Amino acid sequence: MSKALGEFEIIRNYFARAPQGEGVALGIGDDCALLQAPPSGQLATSMDTLVAGRHFPADADPAMIASRALRVNISDLAAMNASPLWFTLALTLPSSDAVWLKKFAAGLLETAGQFGISLVGGDTTAGPLSITIQVIGHTQKPLRRDGASPGDSIYVSGPLGAAAAALPVVLAEREVSEAIRREAEQVYYFPEPQLTTATAIGKFATSALDISDGLLGDLIHICEASGVAAEVNLDALPIAPLVHQLAADNAIELAACGGDDYQLCFTVPEAAAGQINQLDLAAVPIGRLVQGEPQVRCSYRGRPWVAPSPGYRHF
Ligand SMILES: [Mg+2]
């Protein structure tokens, strides 16, 4: 690589001082990290890549890019009811810009500290800007997609549509007030992994996933994995306030189909629904599972509703 800072300097200067938390026997600096697995339960692992120009604007604040990259990965741990432990980072950079790296590393390590997850290794390469993070967590009670049954109630963990409403603002395609712009950036770059909800519903839920590609686009994965159909009442969807501010005319479509909210969609047996409603959660029942071919059927204002656009497509 021809660049000002070599790979080892990048790691040493910006990432090697990452605090080493629980279970890290040996952190960054050797050929491998050595990690002590908890004595019971299972490890959960997932990886996500964010590419400049596709998942975030290339000129976005590096600290905010880092926050989003780590948070969307931790969201997958939440979706599995796993608590965050460790992560690795593969960073591809057009050039070794010291100012960019310093801000990125600061944002990354700050986010890591907030969620108690330790950076234990990584790699840097020259090329178009992209960020790959692999997370590892621990679960005593995994929430898989294949455990749901007909009769289960379907819930979402909180308001939907905010990130889809925020996107044109984040992409600078739309001019708004400074306050709204900040709120849009907050929603898009600082999504909240639903770890608390996952823990609370862990013993009741029969399936769960995080809504990255849109509620309807993701719920079908539970239907397919569990061999059930879903009936969703769109009148019950919790709609994020930002949707009403930015896209009131498309509120239902954004809440049903918009991606990047990272709320959980989960199912619980009807008998447990009362217990879920008693928990101090923002979760809302939106429908139920029925016998049938895997599909999601929606109603809105008493009539069948068909999504005008599919969920987010990765390619
Ligand atoms: Mg996911």
Side-chain angles (χ1 to χ4, degrees):
M1 279 191 300
S2 60
K3 56 187 188 183
L5 288 176
E7 180 184 350
F8 292 109
E9 286 165 289
I10 288 176
I11 291 169
R12 194 176 59 226
N13 288 357
Y14 299 106
F15 299 110
R17 276 167 284 167
Q20 304 294 279
E22 191 184 338
V24 182
L26 184 63
I28 295 169
D30 209 311
D31 297 294
C32 290
L34 295 173
L35 306 171
Q36 185 61 53
S40 65
Q42 290 176 314
L43 294 177
T45 186
S46 177
M47 177 190 279
D48 223 8
T49 295
L50 272 67
V51 176
R54 175 172 281 274
H55 301 107
F56 60 88
D59 60 355
D61 178 340
M64 296 203 300
I65 297 170
S67 161
R68 176 164 159 75
L70 186 51
R71 283 165 176 267
V72 303
N73 274 279
I74 294 173
S75 175
D76 276 321
L77 293 177
M80 216 68 196
N81 191 24
S83 42
L85 284 176
W86 312 302
F87 73 105
T88 57
L89 165 74
L91 189 56
T92 304
L93 288 169
S95 66
S96 59
D97 177 339
V99 175
W100 193 97
L101 272 164
K102 194 174 173 186
K103 288 182 179 168
F104 179 86
L108 189 74
L109 297 183
E110 187 189 335
T111 307
Q114 285 169 16
F115 291 95
I117 190 168
S118 305
L119 177 65
V120 296
D123 190 21
T124 57
T125 323
L129 178 59
S130 97
I131 299 143
T132 296
I133 287 178
Q134 182 177 30
V135 285
I136 302 173
H138 173 249
T139 177
Q140 296 283 6
K141 171 72 172 68
L143 289 176
R144 298 162 49 141
R145 298 177 176 190
D146 61 0
S149 300
D152 288 358
S153 299
I154 307 165
Y155 282 75
V156 292
S157 61
L160 299 174
L167 191 59
V169 177
V170 167
L171 296 176
E173 292 170 358
R174 182 166 168 185
E175 278 193 37
V176 292
S177 70
E178 179 64 13
I180 296 271
R181 188 183 62 76
R182 272 207 219 105
E183 199 179 331
E185 284 184 347
Q186 181 70 27
V187 159
Y188 194 78
Y189 290 108
F190 300 85
E192 196 58 43
Q194 296 296 306
L195 294 158
T196 307
T197 298
T199 305
I201 65 168
K203 64 173 182 273
F204 305 109
T206 52
S207 72
L209 48 68
D210 63 330
I211 303 172
S212 52
D213 300 344
L215 170 65
L216 303 185
D218 282 316
L219 178 55
I220 186 68
H221 299 313
I222 287 179
C223 293
E224 286 166 350
S226 296
V228 294
E231 293 178 341
V232 174
N233 172 17
L234 298 182
D235 299 277
L237 288 194
I239 294 172
L242 196 62
V243 176
H244 293 301
Q245 288 172 288
L246 286 172
D249 292 347
N250 298 326
I252 286 297
E253 186 186 345
L254 291 189
C257 306
D260 290 324
D261 281 319
Y262 299 99
Q263 293 290 343
L264 298 183
C265 175
F266 61 93
T267 59
V268 299
E270 214 174 352
Q275 284 152 289
I276 293 289
N277 296 338
Q278 278 168 20
L279 297 172
D280 186 23
L281 297 173
V284 174
I286 59 159
R288 66 188 193 113
L289 298 178
V290 296
Q291 278 180 349
E293 290 298 305
Q295 59 171 304
V296 180
R297 290 192 295 271
C298 299
S299 67
Y300 182 54
R301 294 181 173 164
R303 304 173 68 161
W305 186 90
V306 177
S309 63
Y312 179 77
R313 300 215 181 278
H314 291 269
F315 294 102

